[in-house]
Amino acid sequence: FEMGKDGYDRVDKKKKKGKEDINDLKKELDMDWHKIPWDELCSRLETDTNKGLTQSKYEEVFKREGPNRLTPPKTTPEWVKFCKQLFGGFSTLLWIGAILCFFAYGVQTTKFVEPPKDNIYLGVVLTFVVVVTGIFAYYQEAKSAAIMDSFKKMVPREATVIRDGKTSVINAELLTLGDLVELKGGDKVPADVRIVSCSSFKVDNSSLTGESEPQSRGPECTEDNPIETKNLAFFSTNAVEGTARAVVVSCGDNTVMGRIASLASSLSNDVTPIAIELEHFIHIISAVAVFLGVVFFFLSLILKYEWLEAVVFLIGIIVANVPEGLLATVTVCLTLTAKRMAKKNCLVKNLEAVETLGSTSTICSDKTGTLTQNRMTVAHVWFDEKIWECDTVPDQKNRNFNYGDPTCAALIRVASLCNRAVFLADQEEKSVLSRDCQGDASESALLKCVELVLKDEASSDTITFRENHKKVVEIPFNSTNKYQVSVHELPDKSQNLLVMKGAPERILQRCNSIMLNGEVVDMPEDSEYRKKFNDAYETLGGMGERVLGFCHCLLDVEKYPIGYAFDNEEVNFPLEGFTFVGLMAMIDPPRAGVPGAVAKCKSAGIKVIMVTGDHPITAEAIAKNVGIISTTSKTVECIAKEKGVIVEELSDDDKKAANAAVVHGSKLKEMEEHDIDQLLVNHEEIVFARTSPQQKLIIVEAFQRAGQIVAVTGDGVNDSPALKKADIGIAMGIAGSDVSKEAADMILLDDNFASIVTGVEEGRLIFDNLKKSIAYTLTSNIPEISPFLFFIILSIPLPLGTVRRQFRHLCFSFSFPLSLSK
């Protein structure tokens, strides 16, 4: 290993190929760009954080590193793919039958002046069957090159770069290491970059980590893990808001996204269970056919037939044992089932995946967008010393608080006014929770919550409410202050109202009173209300929810009259001494049908595992909500909390009592292959959190080593390697990225995990039907072989010519199996 100019610990690709390259890509990122001082970084890249690269240095580095783009993998030529379909598996047996027919015709030409043409016709029929079926299967196969093509769509087209102190807009492929770039909300990050400076800069990392909410960026290194640190932004992720200046530290294939692309396109698809079964069946049929053929070849010689006639008998019996209609029967059965599944929102890309889903014993499911709705929603509010539930699923009423309560009305007022999110136009026909918003995820969640309350209980809406409370001044949220504050005129223009929201502990620090049942109560430092606040904060946080605090203050009319010149730069109004109103807690809630689907999977003997890039607390909360971790199960952390000790102090018996586990990616990184295998054996219910794309792949491989048939669901780029490696990959049709759809074998058109249950039912049904179809196909061999036996032994003439017999066989091979497929 050697540290390259791109800061990654990498392997010389000229020395290691194939499997070793894949093993290298599976390793976790090993880079130090986010940790080293700026002086060292600038020295290593020979750049400047103010002026960028010089033109001469840029040309030198670009020549060495090449364009900032993903290198397409070596693809299998289309003619090779076609030949594999034409000559592989069961087709081989049909080709052998056809060749034997031609050979038999050749033998007959040496004996007869005008030889019968039955064998040559039969050879042509067999050739036709195998060619047509091969062409059909070729078009059904997903093309591996499409995965890389879908990654290419993610590449930004342009980038704003500073070189020699001059700013210009260039093609993103022309960037190189050390380039100084400028980013703003709406841009795609053109390479892996380290932030030099920024202002309220946030990026959407959901395609990379699975986090629903935009992540703030800054110049400080906050974590050793490069994926989690705040001073790096990654290639092809979206800048949501703010501005930033950054230095390019990695380009093209060496970016985090580039490594995922290389890993996904390097993985080969394993043989499906049905293909294994059919191959085993072919071996048995071939052995039986050859055995019977050889037996009757020698029997013919014993009965004084000429050797040429004995050879014709040998070939005839072997061909009669070949189930010509089986290949077409299997294809038709799978196709009809795939069409039925498409009507139930399961789109099958690979026909054999239909049966594979029925054989599935473990489902490794992503959280964001698969088990959950992929939108932040207010799940709970806390006011008047109580936690209340909110509506989280469209068209379902869960809210148990009343806008008529004065404290509730005050909380809704603050959440509505201290909020910059707005609904996009022309969405009146949609339910409030399903509407799209302009604004970050948290503010959009607050907007939908207050809109529901105002619409249902006040016969109003947020737009009208804001118009009646004219905004006078605002201080936007920033990562330093961790609050947002704005001042509004009351509807009667009598007084100015200050509203504030932000991190709960920061908001509480700025309050000296609290609203209870509509009345303002003093709240000194040692107040019991502060303890109740902390209890509520911990409870909501423990449920994996993101909590915000809210407060307000009616400004003194004499000091801050209507028309007062507020200044948000040189702040000339109070920022403390407020009245605390309440808390609002948000989460990406589960989809409505998921708990029932998980319960069905468990009752069918299928283990459901969560594998997510999100935080462990959030992952565990969702897992418990949907039933992946049952109410009776305990993790070692739960047992330790009950006993009032740390996990390390638990006895071995206590640890063995834990039948559920929540495993952090950092812990998984330290585990050997054997340790992972033991984890899967010892725990029935497992949640893997904060996992990288490479770790998702390792988890799938561990289950496959244990003999499981693994289905993987996912929607992001980070899921694509695991989707490709799984026995069946299932992507989301609505929220899924193009990359995940190309890597998958099946697509859920409604993005609903519950649709998988439908697929499993159909998959199990098709396996039973195929067994019956194969049994039917094989029984037809007995009447086909019998005339040959009577002809050889008793000299009874054949009732049908070979071609007529094969035509009858092909026709009747379809009718009964087709009825089974419906």
Side-chain angles (χ1 to χ4, degrees):
F1 291 90
E2 59 181 27
M3 185 66 74
K5 273 279 187 183
D6 59 357
Y8 289 103
D9 202 14
R10 59 184 184 182
V11 176
D12 183 354
K13 291 183 180 178
K14 294 179 182 177
K15 296 179 182 177
K16 303 210 173 190
K17 298 289 181 185
K19 189 174 180 180
E20 294 184 22
D21 273 346
I22 294 176
N23 288 335
D24 181 45
L25 289 169
K26 287 181 187 176
K27 292 176 182 175
E28 291 300 306
L29 278 176
D30 189 2
M31 60 181 290
D32 62 357
W33 285 122
H34 56 303
K35 295 187 284 189
I36 61 175
W38 276 110
D39 291 344
E40 184 180 343
L41 184 142
C42 291
S43 173
R44 193 187 291 181
L45 296 178
E46 300 179 67
T47 188
D48 184 275
T49 54
N50 293 314
K51 296 183 178 180
L53 292 171
T54 62
Q55 188 62 31
S56 58
K57 174 49 74 176
Y58 161 74
E59 291 171 0
E60 177 191 330
V61 177
F62 186 80
K63 186 177 180 181
R64 181 185 73 228
E65 297 293 330
N68 174 38
R69 63 181 176 217
L70 303 178
T71 305
K74 291 181 180 178
T75 55
T76 306
E78 295 302 314
W79 67 271
V80 173
K81 293 179 184 176
F82 181 64
C83 287
K84 283 182 179 178
Q85 294 294 342
L86 213 55
F87 301 106
F90 191 74
S91 301
T92 307
L93 193 59
L94 295 184
W95 278 117
I96 292 171
I99 292 167
L100 288 175
C101 288
F102 294 133
F103 180 74
Y105 177 75
V107 169
Q108 288 174 328
T109 57
T110 63
K111 185 177 179 182
F112 303 107
V113 177
E114 292 185 5
K117 295 183 179 180
D118 285 8
N119 280 315
I120 196 166
Y121 290 151
L122 178 56
V124 169
V125 169
L126 291 176
T127 303
F128 175 77
V129 168
V130 75
V131 169
V132 170
T133 311
I135 291 171
F136 182 77
Y138 168 72
Y139 280 110
Q140 288 295 325
E141 185 186 68
K143 299 172 179 61
S144 62
I147 293 178
M148 188 55 73
D149 289 340
S150 56
F151 270 101
K152 287 177 184 175
K153 294 177 186 176
M154 302 178 65
V155 178
R157 294 184 178 180
E158 293 183 335
T160 304
V161 65
I162 300 172
R163 293 186 190 137
D164 283 326
K166 298 176 182 177
T167 303
S168 58
V169 177
I170 64 168
N171 187 318
E173 288 191 3
L174 299 178
L175 286 177
T176 195
L177 299 182
D179 263 329
L180 185 63
V181 295
E182 290 186 339
L183 303 167
K184 64 182 184 302
D187 290 347
K188 277 193 174 182
V189 181
D192 285 359
V193 298
R194 176 168 168 178
I195 308 297
V196 178
S197 60
C198 65
S199 173
S200 302
F201 188 59
K202 289 186 178 181
V203 292
D204 178 9
N205 278 350
S206 58
S207 64
L208 197 60
T209 64
E211 292 167 302
S212 305
E213 193 165 350
Q215 304 297 302
S216 60
R217 301 288 94 173
E220 306 86 12
C221 175
T222 56
E223 299 281 348
D224 285 340
N225 186 340
I227 298 293
E228 296 190 24
T229 187
K230 289 193 173 184
N231 63 342
L232 290 181
F234 299 102
F235 174 62
S236 83
T237 56
N238 292 311
V240 177
E241 63 178 72
T243 58
R245 179 173 285 196
V247 172
V248 174
V249 296
S250 191
C251 292
D253 292 335
N254 293 318
T255 60
V256 173
M257 202 65 76
R259 288 170 63 89
I260 296 173
S262 300
L263 183 56
S265 58
S266 299
L267 293 167
S268 58
N269 287 319
D270 292 333
V271 182
T272 60
I274 193 171
I276 294 171
E277 292 296 329
L278 284 175
E279 187 177 355
H280 180 61
F281 173 72
I282 289 165
H283 291 158
I284 294 173
I285 283 291
S286 302
V288 170
V290 172
F291 173 75
L292 289 175
V294 170
V295 167
F296 283 98
F297 172 75
F298 286 110
L299 185 61
S300 302
L301 294 176
I302 292 170
L303 293 173
K304 307 300 183 183
Y305 283 95
E306 292 184 16
W307 74 271
L308 283 176
E309 288 180 305
V311 168
V312 171
F313 293 150
L314 166 69
I315 293 170
I317 288 175
I318 290 176
V319 171
N321 272 284
V322 173
E324 300 89 344
L326 180 61
L327 187 61
T329 298
V330 170
T331 304
V332 168
C333 285
L334 292 175
T335 302
L336 290 175
T337 305
K339 284 187 175 181
R340 272 204 312 276
M341 290 173 67
K343 293 177 182 177
K344 298 176 181 178
N345 295 314
C346 295
L347 179 65
V348 177
K349 289 173 57 186
N350 177 2
L351 283 182
E352 290 182 350
V354 174
E355 191 279 329
T356 305
L357 188 59
S359 306
T360 297
S361 57
T362 299
I363 299 175
C364 294
S365 178
D366 181 39
K367 176 185 74 69
T368 307
T370 307
L371 299 173
T372 66
Q373 300 173 26
N374 196 22
R375 58 170 175 258
M376 295 296 286
T377 305
V378 177
H380 295 95
V381 296
W382 180 80
F383 61 86
D384 289 344
E385 303 179 313
K386 292 181 183 177
I387 292 177
W388 309 84
E389 290 186 3
C390 298
D391 297 331
T392 57
V393 179
D395 304 321
Q396 284 190 19
K397 290 284 185 182
N398 295 319
R399 190 169 69 246
N400 61 356
F401 58 86
N402 188 351
Y403 182 67
D405 295 335
T407 312
C408 174
L411 179 60
I412 293 299
R413 181 172 66 177
V414 178
S416 175
L417 299 179
C418 195
N419 190 330
R420 306 171 81 181
V422 294
F423 289 115
L424 298 181
D426 303 323
Q427 297 188 92
E428 289 75 14
E429 73 285 353
K430 290 185 179 181
S431 65
V432 172
L433 291 177
S434 301
R435 293 180 190 174
D436 296 320
C437 302
Q438 181 181 332
D440 74 26
S442 295
E443 293 207 324
S444 298
L446 296 175
L447 173 64
K448 292 174 183 179
C449 177
V450 298
E451 179 78 5
L452 274 173
V453 175
L454 292 173
K455 188 176 179 183
D456 292 348
E457 300 191 35
S459 300
S460 182
D461 56 45
T462 316
I463 294 175
T464 306
F465 196 81
R466 289 174 178 174
E467 287 173 352
N468 292 337
H469 295 77
K470 179 185 172 184
K471 184 186 292 184
V472 180
V473 69
E474 180 181 49
I475 300 176
F477 181 90
N478 64 63
S479 55
T480 305
N481 296 333
K482 293 191 175 180
Y483 64 74
Q484 176 184 345
V485 62
S486 58
V487 177
H488 302 259
E489 294 178 356
L490 290 178
D492 60 4
K493 307 291 183 184
S494 61
Q495 201 170 1
N496 285 314
L497 171 72
L498 181 147
V499 290
M500 178 184 281
K501 78 166 187 287
E505 65 280 3
R506 295 290 183 94
I507 298 299
L508 192 69
Q509 287 173 3
R510 297 176 180 276
C511 296
N512 56 17
S513 60
I514 185 171
M515 181 176 280
L516 292 175
N517 301 312
E519 296 183 4
V520 177
V521 179
D522 287 339
M523 186 173 57
E525 289 297 323
D526 58 350
S527 170
E528 62 175 311
Y529 300 122
R530 293 184 184 269
K531 182 181 182 302
K532 290 178 179 178
F533 160 87
N534 287 326
D535 291 342
Y537 188 16
E538 287 179 12
T539 300
L540 295 171
M543 291 191 285
E545 299 179 8
R546 183 176 186 235
V547 187
L548 290 177
F550 298 81
C551 65
H552 70 193
C553 176
L554 286 168
L555 297 178
D556 189 295
V557 179
E558 295 183 2
K559 290 184 179 179
Y560 309 101
I562 297 295
Y564 177 80
F566 291 96
D567 188 348
N568 60 1
E569 295 292 335
E570 299 291 332
V571 180
N572 58 353
F573 52 92
L575 291 176
E576 56 184 20
F578 304 147
T579 299
F580 188 83
V581 178
L583 300 171
M584 283 189 166
M586 291 157 283
I587 198 168
D588 181 10
R591 291 180 177 274
V594 169
V598 171
K600 265 193 174 182
C601 287
K602 286 186 171 183
S603 66
I606 300 171
K607 185 185 290 187
V608 183
I609 305 297
M610 183 190 290
V611 185
T612 179
D614 214 339
H615 293 279
I617 294 174
T618 307
E620 184 178 354
I622 294 296
K624 288 179 177 177
N625 280 345
V626 300
I628 290 176
I629 296 179
S630 55
T631 52
T632 56
S633 299
K634 293 181 180 179
T635 63
V636 287
E637 290 80 10
C638 291
I639 295 172
K641 188 175 181 180
E642 288 175 1
K643 291 184 176 289
V645 296
I646 60 174
V647 173
E648 288 73 16
E649 294 177 358
L650 287 176
S651 65
D652 290 340
D653 289 339
D654 286 334
K655 290 180 180 178
K656 287 178 182 177
N659 54 352
V662 179
V663 184
H664 195 286
S666 59
K667 184 179 178 183
L668 190 62
K669 185 178 179 181
E670 298 168 359
M671 296 172 75
E672 298 293 333
E673 204 171 89
H674 171 74
D675 298 325
I676 299 174
D677 293 342
Q678 284 299 114
L679 174 72
L680 304 188
V681 170
N682 295 334
H683 298 88
E684 282 296 312
E685 300 171 342
I686 309 174
V687 171
F688 293 98
R690 265 311 188 220
T691 52
S692 66
Q694 291 85 351
Q695 287 175 334
K696 290 187 178 187
L697 176 60
I698 289 167
I699 291 164
V700 171
E701 290 177 335
F703 277 110
Q704 289 175 331
R705 281 198 305 274
Q708 304 285 322
I709 304 296
V710 184
V712 170
T713 70
D715 62 344
V717 177
N718 56 330
D719 301 314
S720 57
L723 287 169
K724 185 82 181 292
K725 181 62 180 174
D727 294 293
I728 176 168
I730 306 169
M732 302 297 112
I734 301 171
S737 64
D738 289 340
V739 179
S740 64
K741 291 176 188 176
E742 293 295 347
D745 301 296
M746 193 173 94
I747 298 171
L748 299 183
L749 299 178
D750 59 354
D751 283 15
N752 196 344
F753 180 87
S755 298
I756 296 175
V757 175
T758 302
V760 171
E761 290 168 350
E762 292 289 353
R764 292 189 173 184
L765 183 64
I766 193 69
F767 188 73
D768 288 338
N769 289 346
L770 281 175
K771 283 195 294 185
K772 294 172 187 174
S773 299
I774 290 170
Y776 173 80
T777 305
L778 289 180
T779 56
S780 66
N781 284 357
I782 296 172
E784 282 191 29
I785 295 171
S786 300
F788 275 99
L789 303 185
F790 293 136
F791 177 62
I792 294 167
I793 299 172
L794 302 176
S795 298
I796 297 175
L798 291 171
L800 287 176
T802 309
V803 174
R804 290 188 183 91
R805 177 173 52 79
Q806 289 303 119
F807 178 75
R808 181 207 63 79
H809 176 66
L810 281 172
C811 289
F812 284 95
S813 290
F814 281 111
S815 56
F816 182 66
L818 276 176
S819 65
L820 280 174
S821 301
K822 293 179 181 178

